[in-house]
Every structure is written in C-alpha cells, then in structure tokens.
Amino acid sequence: MAEISLFENALKQFRKAAKVMELDPCLADVLMHPKRELTVNFPVRMDDGSVKVFTGHRVQHNIARGPAKGGIRYHPNVTLDEVKALAFWMTWKCAVVGIPYGGGKGGVEVDPAELSAAELERLSRRFFSEIQVIIGEDKDIPAPDVNTNAQIMSWFMDTYSMNVGHSVLGIVTGKPMDIGGSAGRPEATGRGVRVVTEEAINYKGLDAESSTVAVQGFGNVGSFAAKLIQDELGAKIVALSDVSGGIYNPDGLDIDEVIAYRDQNNGVIKGYPNATTITNEELLALDVDILIPAALENAITMENVDNVKAKIIVEGANGPITPEAEEVLLKKDIFIVPDFLANAGGVTVSYFEWVQGLQWYFWDIEDVRKALHKIMRQAFGSVVNTMHKYNTDMRTAAYIVAIDRVATATKLRGIYP
C-alpha cells in the first residue's frame, strides 16, 4: 500500500472546506503553507559514553491569532510531513474553540522505550535548547504529546529557564502543578471528548445511559474519555484496546478496574480477566452506538471502512480516518465529530495553564472544568450551526468556522510589508 501523506490528507480536508465557503484562492494559499519549519540534528551522550545523533522538528503553521501552540512527540516514526500536518491541524483546533493561538507541533525521531531515564533527560534538554531559537512564552508554547509527559515538560521548562536566567512558567504547558501546571490538565483532552460525546448523543437523539461505546486507544485520552463517559454520562463502555490488543464485554467494562489492571500490568490491558480478547480491527467493526478512535492516525481506511457500524464517531486521535474512508462513512449516515474539535480539550486547558502562568495566579479544578465545558459546548454548537448553514458535514463545518476566524485575522493584519 502506498504511504499515506498525513499533510496531503490535511490539505484535502482544507480544500474541501475552502471550496464550500468560497475562500479567496490567494488567502487559501497563504493558509495552506506553514510559516516556519525547523529541523535539527543534535548529538546526545549515551550512558555507555558513546554519542548518538537524533533528528527533531518544530513547525509553526500560523500565528495570525496568537503564539504557536502544540505538542512535542517522541516516536520512531516521526517525520517532517507528520509534524507539518499536526501543526496545520493545531491552527484549526485553536481557532474552532476560539482561543488566541496558532498551530505548532514538534517531534523527535526516537523510541523513548530504548533510552534510560538519564538519556531521555539529556535528549529532551538538548532538543529543547536546539529549538529555543523559535520558541518563547509569547512566540511558541510546546506541550506533551505521544510518549511525552509532565516530567519531560518539567525538563523543558527548566532548560529554557536556565538558558534565559529566570523561571519562565509559561514556556510549556502540561507541567506538574508544583511548577506551574494547571489543575485538570491530565484529564483535559479526555474531558473534552466526553463533552462533545454528550453533545453528539443529544444532537442525534440518543439516550446516554442506554448507549454503547468502544474506545480504540487506552492512553491518556482514551482512558480519561472512557472513565468520564461511563461515570458522568452513564454510557456503557463495551470495548477497549491498546497496542497489546483489545478487550470486549457486552455487559460493560469497569473502567476503574481496567485502569488499575493496566497500571499493574506494564501499562497494557492484555490479559484483563473480565472480558473477551479481541483485535483492534474487531473493535472498529463492533455494532456500537459510539466509536472513539483515540490511538494513532489512519486507523480507519478504505481497507476496513466497510466494517464500521457505529452511529457516531468521536475522533479522540488526530487524523484517525482517511478522507476517502470518511466519504464512505458519511454515505452510511455516520455522524463524525472531527478530531480538531473533539480533542481540543487539551489545548483549551493548556491555554488556561498558560494564562495562569503569565499571571502567576492559579484556578481550582472546578473553575477549570466549568470553563472547559463552556468552551467545548459553544464550539460544538457553532460547528453544528455552520453544518446546517452550508448543508455539509461536521468536519467541513469545523474547518469553515476555524478558517473563517484565521482568514479574518489574516485580512485584518494584512500582508507585511
């Protein structure tokens, strides 16, 4: 199978929306190109005394509405194409929920599982020093992503602060609360998925408590989304999966029990006793009301799209459905809440964390949750209204809302000089 370019997929989605909204072609051309692409090759001293060179990227797609914002991932398959696509999506994600950021993203081509804790720290500090030429709390604010976490953000924050000579709380988000993190940040992306899932259930006229849910991916996003959808909406989570495979119980899984099992089982759910073992592909094909793909990109493609039976898909991951597969799903009248709306809870609470860091004043968790719920519900409503206005699908409508906001900012600012 030919390699699927994530950035080309992103551009296809953009062009579709630009055509529907009749966007000025010159403006569309500006908005399709990243503002900056930085690739760095940097040495790291390994524990055995040898030196290994790693490659990393930081892309700033658009800063018309504010500083660039986006995570940094550590993964052996990180490419510039992937980072460009993720930065592109971050622009629209920030715009669709109305927060004053542009899109950024970063990554290092590495398998962190192969590094010791000391090597991981040295790699993190060197990479952050290398990209410091384009970041800053008023320029570009990184955050956690795949295989990065609060500890790595702590190293990033300390590295930047040591380099400039004073503590800078707002340089990264997703930090521990002890050094300027926000209450509610670990659950934020999953909580955002929970909010839009509730909105989608209500919009489609389903009953939450009798709805069945399958979640592909049981990392931070998938586990929090599953727990909150079960605990707060009363829906039945019947299937979960991670890199080790899937588990299925038609009577519903106890999410707290699965989380406890995972945490004692080397971080995987394989072997969980109170369920039947299934594959990731079988999970995607289950006859459930709601499917939440919360793993990696391109999970649903033309090869497996015909097997999907869910009524609603809420994209917890970035780009889990290829554009061609989405056309098939839409013809089957499956309601899709697109990734850059569905998983915008993380960047929204990151925005709250950044604001708190700039002010050196911190909110309690109920204030964070209340503000997040309000922003996510307003964003969902504006996308639904736009969907009806243009007689289109949710992804295209979300792009139209976001593109209109960024295009308006670009037009108001003008082209310099």
Side-chain angles (χ1 to χ4, degrees):
M1 189 177 77
E3 187 70 25
I4 299 171
S5 165
L6 209 58
F7 189 58
E8 277 306 313
N9 279 354
L11 290 179
K12 282 180 191 173
Q13 295 165 349
F14 176 91
R15 291 187 187 105
K16 179 180 174 182
K19 184 177 179 182
V20 171
M21 68 189 292
E22 298 179 349
L23 184 68
D24 178 338
C26 294
L27 199 50
D29 197 34
V30 171
L31 298 183
M32 283 194 292
H33 284 83
K35 182 176 180 64
R36 292 190 185 96
E37 302 172 33
L38 175 65
T39 295
V40 293
N41 300 296
F42 58 98
V44 175
R45 191 173 302 281
M46 310 306 283
D47 289 344
D48 63 3
S50 65
V51 173
K52 190 171 179 182
V53 176
F54 293 88
T55 299
H57 311 280
R58 185 70 184 175
V59 173
Q60 296 166 349
H61 172 255
N62 187 284
I63 54 171
R65 300 179 71 251
K69 185 81 186 83
I72 290 174
R73 59 176 51 186
Y74 291 171
H75 197 276
N77 297 332
V78 161
T79 63
L80 181 59
D81 177 82
E82 176 189 51
V83 175
K84 280 167 61 176
L86 295 168
F88 183 83
W89 277 319
M90 280 301 299
T91 295
W92 316 122
K93 183 184 296 189
C94 295
V96 80
V97 291
I99 55 178
Y101 282 144
K105 208 75 177 186
V108 178
E109 189 180 330
V110 61
D111 182 354
E114 295 179 356
L115 302 182
S116 69
E119 290 168 340
L120 185 65
E121 179 175 356
R122 290 194 291 273
L123 176 139
S124 298
R125 289 181 180 276
R126 181 59 188 253
F127 174 64
F128 212 65
S129 293
E130 293 282 352
I131 65 171
Q132 188 169 331
V133 291
I134 63 168
I135 65 167
E137 64 179 348
D138 55 357
K139 295 193 289 188
D140 185 353
I141 306 103
D145 199 85
V146 175
N147 293 328
T148 57
N149 55 26
Q151 177 58 71
I152 290 170
M153 294 309 110
S154 301
W155 293 329
F156 285 170
M157 177 263 190
D158 182 69
T159 299
Y160 186 90
S161 298
M162 293 299 289
N163 287 346
V164 299
H166 61 92
S167 294
V168 184
L169 296 188
I171 186 58
V172 290
T173 58
K175 304 182 297 297
M177 287 181 65
D178 291 328
I179 52 169
S182 175
R185 179 61 188 88
E187 69 171 35
T189 309
R191 180 165 288 280
V193 170
R194 165 254 182 268
V195 175
V196 297
T197 299
E198 181 181 20
E199 295 297 299
I201 286 170
N202 293 338
Y203 175 74
K204 295 300 287 183
L206 302 180
D207 174 61
E209 293 190 358
S210 61
S211 295
T212 53
V213 184
V215 181
Q216 183 200 37
F218 203 61
N220 174 274
V221 179
S223 58
F224 273 113
K227 177 172 169 52
L228 294 170
I229 288 167
Q230 181 182 78
D231 292 354
E232 297 182 7
L233 304 185
K236 188 188 294 182
I237 313 294
V238 297
L240 301 167
S241 69
D242 62 12
V243 290
S244 69
I247 56 175
Y248 172 68
N249 186 334
D251 297 323
L253 296 157
D254 183 325
I255 301 304
D256 288 326
E257 199 177 82
V258 178
I259 290 171
Y261 176 85
R262 177 198 66 187
D263 293 347
Q264 295 167 1
N265 191 46
N266 300 316
V268 297
I269 61 175
K270 185 178 183 180
Y272 175 72
N274 302 323
T276 305
T277 298
I278 59 171
T279 65
N280 265 292
E281 283 299 316
E282 287 170 333
L283 180 141
L284 294 172
L286 288 172
D287 189 1
V288 291
D289 295 306
I290 301 150
L291 173 62
I292 301 176
L296 289 173
E297 304 88 19
N298 300 326
I300 300 174
T301 66
M302 290 303 287
E303 293 184 359
N304 61 7
V305 66
D306 290 334
N307 301 326
V308 177
K309 302 179 186 71
K311 298 181 182 74
I312 296 169
I313 297 177
V314 180
E315 295 185 325
N318 292 312
I321 305 173
T322 65
E324 295 79 11
E326 179 162 22
E327 292 302 321
V328 176
L329 296 171
L330 293 174
K331 284 173 184 168
K332 291 163 73 170
D333 198 29
I334 295 174
F335 184 74
I336 302 169
V337 184
D339 47 11
F340 67 97
L341 169 60
N343 63 29
V347 74
T348 302
V349 177
S350 278
Y351 167 61
F352 300 160
E353 179 180 333
W354 178 68
V355 168
Q356 292 168 77
L358 292 178
Q359 296 177 333
W360 295 75
Y361 175 80
F362 295 88
W363 312 352
D364 65 42
I365 194 163
E366 290 310 317
D367 290 336
V368 172
R369 288 171 175 166
K370 184 178 177 182
L372 173 61
H373 281 236
K374 180 181 178 182
I375 284 177
M376 295 299 294
R377 287 197 173 106
Q378 286 177 338
F380 186 93
S382 66
V383 172
V384 165
N385 290 340
T386 302
M387 179 178 71
H388 290 302
K389 178 182 175 182
Y390 286 91
N391 189 29
T392 188
D393 58 274
M394 280 288 280
R395 187 183 315 279
T396 304
Y399 266 108
I400 290 170
V401 170
I403 292 168
D404 183 61
R405 289 173 178 167
V406 179
T408 298
T410 302
K411 285 187 287 188
L412 288 170
R413 291 181 59 155
I415 303 297
Y416 178 86

